[in-house]
Amino acid sequence: TEAATTTTEVATTTLGVDTVRVAPDGSGEAPDLAAALAAVAPGGTILLEAGEHILGGPLLIEAPVTIRGMGSGQTTVIGESAPELLRFAGPGDFTLEGITFHYRGTGEANGLVTQVGTISFTDGVGSGAVRGAELDGAAFLVLGDATGTVEHCTAEDNQGPGFLFGGTTDIRVTDSTGSANGGS
């Protein structure tokens, strides 16, 4: 089941910077991922350096963007605020490369949620999602009419399904693994 969710922090891409670098210690061109999302132009790229990037709350992305880490074993985005780490509400292309997304909160939460657009997830890990009465606790939740690919991704240690697809999605999943999840 998927209930209506809200986010506590909203970041939209409205300015004109093509590429924004984010370092875990705040020394990048933007101090954190939320600030980078606010600064990058639609269709731009956010480069997350190696290390742990802590979210202040769930992020809502409403424009095309690429978020690229240094590899899922090196770059980790951590959040503990429900109901999700990140939601792409489109329209357009949404690309995630080389990042581990870990939810370490205790409230019901999904990891990465996509509603529309064309996704490309490569070398990604989703972990720690919490299932409850209202939310599935899925690491990768793709809904609506989203299309795209999930390649070389891992969903592990989630209370709900590792990968969950609903609506009229058309997603090609290749070379991906789900382990120690509560479903799927």
Side-chain angles (χ1 to χ4, degrees), residues 2 5 7 59-65 67 83-96 101 110-121 136 138-150 162-171:
E2 197 270 330
T5 60
T7 55
L59 297 178
L60 176 64
I61 301 172
E62 296 177 302
V65 67
I67 304 174
E84 59 213 8
L85 292 175
L86 183 148
R87 178 180 291 260
F88 179 70
D93 297 337
F94 179 47
T95 301
L96 296 174
F101 289 89
N110 293 308
L112 305 173
V113 180
T114 305
Q115 293 176 271
V116 297
T118 302
I119 66 168
S120 175
F121 297 168
D136 295 304
F140 297 89
L141 176 59
V142 184
L143 304 167
D145 62 355
T147 62
T149 59
V150 174
F163 301 92
L164 182 58
F165 305 99
T168 59
T169 59
D170 183 12
I171 307 297

